[in-house]
Amino acid sequence: MKFQQIKIGGFLCAVLFSLAGCKDTLDVDRIGAITPENMWSNPDFIKYYVNDFYKILPAWNQMSDLTEEAASKTLSNVLRGINASSDDYPGREWPYASLRSINVFLQNIESSNAGLTAEEKAYMTGQAHFFRAMLYFKMVKVMGGVPIITDVLNPTDDLETLQKSRNSTKECFDFIVSELDQAIASLPVKGTASYENSRINKAAAMAYKGEVLLWKASPLFCKVKNNNYWEDAYKALNDAKVELDKEGYGLYRTNAANTMDNYWYDKPGAATENIIFVEYKYPAKSNGHQQSQRPLSTSSGSAGGNEPTWELVKAFPMKNGKDIQDPSSGYQATMFWKNRDPRFYTTIVYNGATYGIGNDKTRHQWIFNSVNEDGYLGNGYNNSGFYSRKAIDTTLNQTVWSQQAFDWPVLRYTEVLMNLAEAANELDSKRGTVLSLLTPIRDRVGIVAGTDGRFGFGEDVGANYASTLKAIMAERLIEFAYEGKRFMDLRRRRMFAELDSYGTFHAYGPYLDKAAAVALKIGITADMSTSDIMKQLNIYLSSPNAKADEVLKTIFQFKQDKIDVNPDAKIAVPERNYFAPLKQDWIKKNPKLKQNTGWDNGDFNPVIQ
């Protein structure tokens, strides 16, 4: 029987009990025609139940304004180190309602008389174990150890039975890995008949296990390095890569210069790279990314989100792969946009950049200071002097941007390569393999290999530990910008000092030098309005002999400005912010829960060693 991915909103809400927040269970006997008796005897009900697990997958949780990825007019309390346990913390969840639903499933599936084949039961059970692992991992990587509950608790039991203490962080990691091992043993490979590619398969579970073990070994959890943990992570990730390659996964490639731009349009092609992803299909399921991220002139309502900071813009290397600080890179400060890593142009929209929308492929985006709705510090309040182009389907015009329905990658093949490179760097015997894992990523986006075939990586990458780690983290920032990775990467490596070093985030505001524009004699006159200047610039730049870079360099002056102008706007992330505190409401409902150290006089240590 085919596993059809049918969504039934609210179904799980009718059968779940929230350990953290609910006092009563819902009486499932009264929910339509679904009773405890027929629930587990009806194959369709069971499949709908499993389908609902996929709502657990994260989507569009980018956390951009917590890092150099995006400008926020006011620095977050997390970055300033003034957040309290009652404040939101990125990624903090307490999903025991969803965990209960999985426990209910696992308790009932084996005895089900629904006529499911052994294969169908195995596939469903594998998915359940995977998502139970994912839910626990989402909690543990943010807060450390949490209560492990695998039984279906009876809400009428006494509080002593219902209230559970936190398991140690190591116990939780061991449990998560055991869940993933059970998933790996039960799940089919990609392409198995009647099993959709959007579902979790064997290779996906293996890749996710590798990521879990990477976190377990990381400096976040092991202040004292544990080589055995790094060996475990390396082996799991290498095994995952072998399985992924065997099942047909790999880097998404085209022959076009804008490969990673096409990635967000080409759903069938992107399936090669997307290992775990949230599937979208217009009109049944679309997302609001277009509206929230496009400049206001090309969108409506809340727009212009994820404005890149000057710190992010500077992080991109040149097309030859060299850092802009390298004297041999060819970087020109007065034309910072010229000859950069091709990912620069599919991520960053700078003043005057070509940013086609719909059928207008030659449209330019103007951001310079003006009252224009897209202008820097203008009516639209652009705060950084840049817009983000990442994951924007520019084939859609302004009236149909809501039709964007590309899939959101949770884990892609590129990240497995980088995870493996990170684990390899921690092992002296494996460090030499790092370059072979990183260069294909640069090759596929169009960075020049160079005569040494190193794609801009220095000779110390793959030889020296510190230099190799720096290269890996820099590559992750560029490749995964706006994919919800950066803040968690900095946590995992205990590298908040990188954010601290900025002091605060900066704009690189473009200011029009009108006199210089008139002097160029390209049709701009002193009495022209801002909108007319933009029109004239568009006319000039569309001419075959236009010297776009020289004109942009000449008529615009750039100034590094603080985005948050408050005098106390300083990034200073304290040690305690590497872990989230438990909410006080959770502790009040269950006094057995101990608070993390550094928060509210807590004494639970989330670190393994």
Side-chain angles (χ1 to χ4, degrees):
M1 187 173 295
K2 186 174 182 179
F3 282 81
Q4 295 177 329
Q5 198 147 350
I6 303 171
K7 300 294 182 185
I8 52 170
F11 176 80
L12 285 184
C13 294
V15 295
L16 300 182
F17 166 69
S18 171
L19 180 66
C22 297
K23 295 181 179 179
D24 301 299
T25 59
L26 293 172
D27 185 353
V28 294
D29 285 324
R30 298 177 183 175
I31 301 170
I34 304 177
T35 67
E37 289 74 26
N38 66 21
M39 170 70 226
W40 304 106
S41 62
N42 186 307
D44 289 330
F45 287 171
I46 295 173
K47 289 169 185 177
Y48 299 159
Y49 200 105
V50 173
N51 287 345
D52 235 33
F53 294 161
Y54 282 79
K55 293 178 181 177
I56 293 168
L57 292 175
W60 300 105
N61 185 16
Q62 296 168 296
M63 296 181 276
S64 305
D65 61 354
L66 290 162
T67 72
E68 60 272 75
E69 289 177 314
S72 179
K73 196 64 178 175
T74 303
L75 281 177
S76 75
N77 288 348
V78 172
L79 293 179
R80 294 173 62 199
I82 60 173
N83 53 314
S85 60
S86 56
D87 296 333
D88 289 338
Y89 187 96
R92 182 175 60 183
E93 298 182 39
W94 197 251
Y96 280 95
S98 296
L99 283 167
R100 179 180 173 85
S101 75
I102 295 175
N103 292 341
V104 167
F105 172 84
L106 291 172
Q107 177 178 281
N108 286 278
I109 187 61
E110 285 306 318
S111 61
S112 167
N113 61 352
L116 298 171
T117 66
E119 183 182 73
E120 288 174 319
K121 282 187 178 181
Y123 293 173
M124 290 179 174
T125 301
Q127 291 170 85
H129 282 295
F130 174 86
F131 283 110
R132 188 157 69 175
M134 174 173 274
L135 286 172
Y136 274 103
F137 181 51
K138 288 167 77 172
M139 289 192 287
V140 171
K141 74 178 182 180
V142 173
M143 296 177 288
V146 296
I148 298 174
I149 302 174
T150 58
D151 296 327
V152 180
L153 301 180
N154 187 337
T156 62
D157 285 346
D158 60 89
L159 287 178
E160 184 64 24
T161 302
L162 291 174
Q163 293 175 345
K164 304 292 184 181
S165 300
R166 297 176 70 174
N167 287 81
S168 72
T169 299
K170 182 181 183 302
E171 288 172 336
C172 288
F173 269 112
D174 291 345
F175 173 73
I176 292 165
V177 170
S178 70
E179 287 291 289
L180 291 170
D181 283 339
Q182 291 182 75
I184 292 166
S186 302
L187 290 169
V189 299
K190 182 180 181 180
T192 297
S194 74
Y195 194 85
E196 297 98 324
N197 285 337
S198 57
R199 290 185 178 273
I200 303 300
N201 57 33
K202 178 182 178 180
M206 292 178 69
Y208 198 74
K209 176 184 174 181
E211 180 174 326
V212 168
L213 289 171
L214 185 79
W215 276 78
K216 180 184 178 183
S218 72
L220 179 66
F221 290 105
C222 294
K223 290 185 175 181
V224 178
K225 184 176 180 179
N226 188 316
N227 282 325
N228 290 331
Y229 286 179
W230 281 114
E231 290 279 4
D232 291 343
Y234 180 85
K235 182 180 186 307
L237 287 162
N238 193 60
D239 289 347
K241 182 181 180 301
V242 170
E243 182 65 28
L244 288 163
D245 292 345
K246 185 169 69 174
E247 294 188 22
Y249 289 99
L251 293 172
Y252 172 77
R253 288 179 179 271
T254 69
N255 293 323
N258 58 339
T259 289
M260 290 314 292
D261 191 12
N262 293 334
Y263 168 79
W264 299 100
Y265 304 160
D266 182 9
K267 285 167 70 81
T272 300
E273 174 142 348
N274 287 346
I275 300 168
I276 302 174
F277 59 96
V278 180
E279 187 177 36
Y280 288 86
K281 291 182 180 179
Y282 181 82
K285 184 179 181 181
S286 58
N287 57 66
H289 181 66
Q290 291 268 37
Q291 178 186 13
S292 64
Q293 190 160 302
R294 284 189 183 197
L296 188 58
S297 65
T298 66
S299 184
S300 65
S302 177
N306 282 343
E307 296 172 8
T309 69
W310 179 229
E311 283 74 22
L312 176 63
V313 172
K314 290 189 295 182
F316 284 83
M318 302 298 288
K319 186 176 175 61
N320 58 20
K322 296 183 179 182
D323 188 275
I324 65 171
Q325 302 298 327
D326 186 331
S328 65
S329 68
Y331 177 71
Q332 301 178 58
T334 56
M335 290 190 285
F336 62 84
W337 58 86
K338 192 173 176 62
N339 295 326
R340 300 295 289 272
D341 177 334
R343 289 170 293 188
F344 177 93
Y345 306 102
T346 59
T347 307
I348 306 295
V349 181
Y350 59 91
N351 182 57
T354 301
Y355 189 6
I357 297 293
N359 294 325
D360 185 359
K361 305 301 182 186
T362 61
R363 173 186 174 278
H364 292 270
Q365 180 64 51
W366 300 108
I367 313 173
F368 63 86
N369 63 306
S370 70
V371 296
N372 176 267
E373 58 193 352
D374 293 347
Y376 175 60
L377 303 180
N379 290 344
Y381 297 104
N382 176 281
N383 296 314
S384 76
F386 303 97
Y387 287 105
S388 173
R389 199 183 183 288
K390 184 74 172 280
I392 294 295
D393 185 348
T394 58
T395 64
L396 303 177
N397 63 35
Q398 185 176 355
T399 61
V400 294
W401 47 256
S402 61
Q403 294 181 12
Q404 177 165 301
F406 57 75
D407 299 329
W408 175 251
V410 176
L411 178 63
R412 52 188 177 99
Y413 187 86
T414 311
E415 188 170 10
V416 175
L417 293 183
M418 290 205 198
N419 288 348
L420 183 57
E422 185 176 335
N425 184 48
E426 298 290 340
L427 302 170
D428 293 342
S429 63
K430 305 294 184 184
R431 188 170 301 124
T433 66
V434 169
L435 195 65
S436 66
L437 295 167
L438 297 182
T439 52
I441 298 170
R442 287 194 164 189
D443 182 32
R444 70 93 170 259
V445 299
I447 286 181
V448 178
T451 55
D452 58 3
R454 297 180 68 89
F455 292 85
F457 289 116
E459 292 184 1
D460 50 355
V461 175
N464 175 269
Y465 171 79
S467 298
T468 305
L469 177 60
K470 182 179 179 181
I472 291 169
M473 296 303 290
E475 199 71 13
R476 289 185 71 97
L477 169 59
I478 295 160
E479 177 71 22
F480 301 125
Y482 306 109
E483 293 184 41
K485 307 290 184 183
R486 177 62 171 172
F487 181 75
M488 291 299 177
D489 283 348
L490 293 174
R491 284 189 62 243
R492 189 182 72 252
R493 296 298 320 188
R494 288 187 176 266
M495 293 176 66
F496 282 156
E498 287 203 8
L499 299 178
D500 294 346
S501 69
Y502 298 143
T504 189
F505 296 133
H506 295 87
Y508 204 50
Y511 293 86
L512 174 67
D513 184 340
K514 198 169 187 179
V518 172
L520 277 180
K521 297 183 179 180
I522 57 174
I524 296 174
T525 61
D527 59 348
M528 272 188 173
S529 66
T530 300
S531 60
D532 285 340
I533 290 174
M534 290 179 182
K535 290 177 183 177
Q536 187 57 38
L537 283 170
N538 288 334
I539 292 172
Y540 170 76
L541 292 177
S542 64
S543 62
N545 297 320
K547 298 179 179 179
D549 291 330
E550 289 296 330
V551 167
L552 294 177
K553 168 187 172 181
T554 302
I555 70 175
F556 294 106
Q557 305 300 317
F558 291 86
K559 180 184 176 184
Q560 181 174 300
D561 298 321
K562 290 182 178 179
I563 294 171
D564 185 342
V565 297
N566 294 308
D568 61 345
K570 181 179 179 180
I571 301 173
V573 190
E575 173 77 12
R576 70 173 188 170
N577 272 1
Y578 279 112
F579 287 99
L582 272 63
K583 287 186 177 181
Q584 283 296 330
D585 283 350
W586 303 340
I587 297 175
K588 287 178 182 178
K589 291 172 183 176
N590 180 7
K592 289 184 179 180
L593 296 175
K594 291 184 176 182
Q595 181 61 281
N596 279 337
T597 55
W599 298 96
D600 306 329
N601 299 313
D603 60 359
F604 184 92
N605 186 359
V607 173
I608 296 176
Q609 61 185 53

